[in-house]
Amino acid sequence: MKGEKKVSNATVKRLPKYYRYLSDLHQVGISRVLSIDLGRQMEITPSQVRQDFFQFGCVGLQGYGYEVEPLMQEIGKILGLAQPNQMIIIGAGKLGRALANHPSFEKRGFKIIGMFDLNPHLIGKSVRGIEIQSMDALPEFAAGHAVDIAVITVPRMHAREAAEKVIRYGIKGIWNFASVEFEVPDDVAIEHIHLSESLMSLSYKLKEKRQALAEKLEEGYCWTYGLECGLR
Amino acid sequence: MKGEKKVSNATVKRLPKYYRYLSDLHQVGISRVLSIDLGRQMEITPSQVRQDFFQFGCVGLQGYGYEVEPLMQEIGKILGLAQPNQMIIIGAGKLGRALANHPSFEKRGFKIIGMFDLNPHLIGKSVRGIEIQSMDALPEFAAGHAVDIAVITVPRMHAREAAEKVIRYGIKGIWNFASVEFEVPDDVAIEHIHLSESLMSLSYKLKEKRQALAEKLEEGYCWTYGLECGLR
DNA sequence: TAGATTGTTAATCGATTAACAATC
DNA sequence: TAGATTGTTAATCGATTAACAATC
């Protein structure tokens, strides 16, 4: 039995979002949800919701919808949230410290157990009870703790080196905030936060909205709008 | 002529990445690139690269590849990078200040022209020459400046209110770092950075890698590996 | 039971890949 | 010119939507 691995790529991409919405529902005490309502939130069709869940053997009740908690558990399990992940932060600058302070990671089972930096002014300080250590302390720390994920929040120019180090010390998950990309060995998982790409997408959307508006105006909606407002 | 709007959805999603790679090539002085090389970097087929560019009327030379700079210009134009975007940051906590310090935004034409916060301890301080102002100063500021994008880096609980404000003051672009989603009017563009979703994706990948490894071991690769290493 | 909503198959749609003629 | 790579159409593949029987 080769593990299931049946869930399609497109579905996997949606799972974190499902999980978030289900967790929101759970939090406010809603215990049942219909594919149509979940679909509305996710901005997809109810059909797609059912198709998605169908892939991992539905957890729904015909005529009744889905129980929020078991569904959430199931998705969590697929996402690997069943067992907690231990993280360290490489780079204790503003971004690194901001992430260390982020309350919602721990809630999802992502626990920060260490912070590291090159800057001697930062070493020895604490963030949320976690002491910032020298990068030199990293090998020993990695050997002594089960570190699942290294968060890379160092400046661009140091990112590659930082990544090489954490890989060398046997850490298999990298969450990269530096705007560089690097090749990693086949057994290492990496996820990039590309802020400038996100910003470019926003710029595109903004441009589209403006063009849509400009076209409307051209087509005389301006006049109609004046009319609607009682102008003439 | 209704504006072109021919570029497919899937292609648009790739444009920021193309732009980033092209800009990297440009920076190191490479002026020509082949679809096969660009494809390798993007992890897509050369066919897809050509198909993508075909959609906005190719800028390539048969037998020669693509000129980096004109191609970059063209994609930049589609993304709305041709004219600079002015941004303000709502929330001058660690994250807000980290973003204000980020050097690469300005390079792409995203300029931070103001920062706002509720916290009286922060008001009056400066980040990179930008003074942190009271939220009360926002309406006047928005009226007096052409603000394209508001970056929301306030805590979750204040995010909705912040968004409502910037929308009320006529800002049409929102870059949201708070882990809440909100409905916005039809003429407002919004882009979310969902850190915990990204983290869940990483968790999924990590789990997959581990499973793949475990399967290999089960299938006896362990033994083979020992053999390769000269063990017996 | 009757009503409702899921489970599941089939149909449609869009995106990716393949192929090759056009042309630099 | 010959060689190479794009432009562009056609074929394939995967993802989404529609539809309805199954069943709670």
Side-chain angles (χ1 to χ4, degrees), chain A residues 191-209:
Chain A
E191 173 88 11
H192 302 273
I193 297 281
H194 279 304
L195 295 181
S196 61
E197 280 181 26
S198 167
L199 204 40
M200 288 192 248
S201 294
L202 177 57
S203 166
Y204 176 82
K205 289 183 193 169
L206 203 50
K207 201 198 91 187
E208 292 285 290
K209 300 273 182 196

Side-chain angles (χ1 to χ4, degrees), chain A residues 199, chain B residues 80-81 83-87 104-112 148:
Chain A
L199 204 40
Chain B
L81 308 178
Q83 60 287 329
N85 281 289
Q86 304 211 91
M87 307 203 289
S104 84
F105 299 150
E106 202 134 335
K107 252 181 21 201
R108 300 267 151 84
F110 295 92
K111 188 156 197 270
I112 293 156
D148 300 294

Side-chain angles (χ1 to χ4, degrees), chain A residues 34-35 50-51 54 58 60 62-63 66:
Chain A
L34 305 183
S35 61
R50 296 202 297 277
Q51 188 69 268
F54 173 54
C58 300
Q62 278 155 325
Y66 299 84

Side-chain angles (χ1 to χ4, degrees), chain A residues 110-158:
Chain A
F110 296 92
K111 187 156 197 272
I112 294 157
I113 60 167
M115 291 186 80
F116 297 85
D117 206 294
L118 284 172
N119 184 344
H121 293 108
L122 289 171
I123 295 167
K125 291 194 176 172
S126 279
V127 180
R128 258 184 148 211
I130 299 148
E131 196 194 326
I132 300 170
Q133 300 177 59
S134 156
M135 280 301 280
D136 299 331
L138 181 55
E140 202 185 331
F141 188 94
H145 297 78
V147 179
D148 300 293
I149 294 168
V151 187
I152 296 188
T153 50
V154 300
R156 196 187 152 100
M157 59 184 301
H158 293 118

